[in-house]
Amino acid sequence: MSDTKYILGHFEHPDDLMDGIDKLQKGNVSIYDVYTPMPIHGIEAKLGIPRSRLPIVAFLCGITGTISGISLLYYTLHKDWPMNIGGKPTLPMPDFVPITFELTILFCALGMVAMFYFRSHLFPGRAPRVMDLRATDDRFVIAIDAQSNTDHEKIDSLLKDAGAVEVLYNERKYVSYE
């Protein structure tokens, strides 16, 4: 088993998966990742995953859009091509609101899509990587790094005690859809 990279515990029900996470953590076994076909409430807190910093990125992208919109309108209407139409000021801030709002939303949306692709490594044209194809269909999978956790028999018994229907020793890092 020296070439084994991951130990995969397959579960049929999310409650068994949560019980398996508890038993592995009580046994001081570090969990590499958990793959589920649907979101499970509370699994991030149980695994110790920190809160996402995505709202900070959204705020920064939105501020960039706001500053870009105001700068564009200020430059074009006040500096580059000022026009006096009916005695109105060349810098009408209330008129800037719709364009500034739209650029804020545009920059925020495009920035969030770019950040999603960057963080999830799902660039266009790249095949998705998963540990086991059944994890996206009907199985709940706990992946355990076999290199850092050397007591494989203990891990196997903990997973089976928690209700794992199958325990696999994965020699490859990922299974590709191709």
Side-chain angles (χ1 to χ4, degrees), residues 25-59:
Q25 287 176 342
K26 286 178 186 171
N28 293 326
V29 175
S30 61
I31 298 171
Y32 175 73
D33 207 352
V34 175
Y35 302 96
T36 62
M38 64 182 185
I40 299 176
H41 180 70
I43 198 166
E44 295 91 1
K46 189 171 279 212
L47 291 173
I49 296 173
R51 190 165 178 234
S52 175
R53 294 184 304 257
L54 226 46
I56 297 169
V57 174
F59 177 75

Side-chain angles (χ1 to χ4, degrees), residues 105-157:
I105 300 301
L106 177 69
F107 274 57
C108 188
L110 293 178
M112 294 301 292
V113 168
M115 186 54 61
F116 171 75
Y117 282 137
F118 177 74
R119 289 293 295 153
S120 62
H121 304 287
L122 290 176
F123 302 106
R126 182 171 180 216
R129 302 179 306 176
V130 293
M131 288 283 185
D132 194 333
L133 293 177
R134 292 178 291 175
T136 61
D137 186 25
D138 63 345
R139 292 285 175 96
F140 300 88
V141 178
I142 297 177
I144 300 159
D145 188 12
Q147 304 295 325
S148 63
N149 300 305
T150 56
D151 192 3
H152 296 178
E153 291 82 19
K154 173 185 169 186
I155 294 169
D156 190 78
S157 68

Side-chain angles (χ1 to χ4, degrees), residues 12-27:
E12 287 185 344
H13 302 287
D15 295 334
D16 294 338
L17 174 84
M18 297 299 263
D19 186 42
I21 291 171
D22 287 336
K23 287 187 178 184
L24 288 170
Q25 287 176 342
K26 286 178 186 171

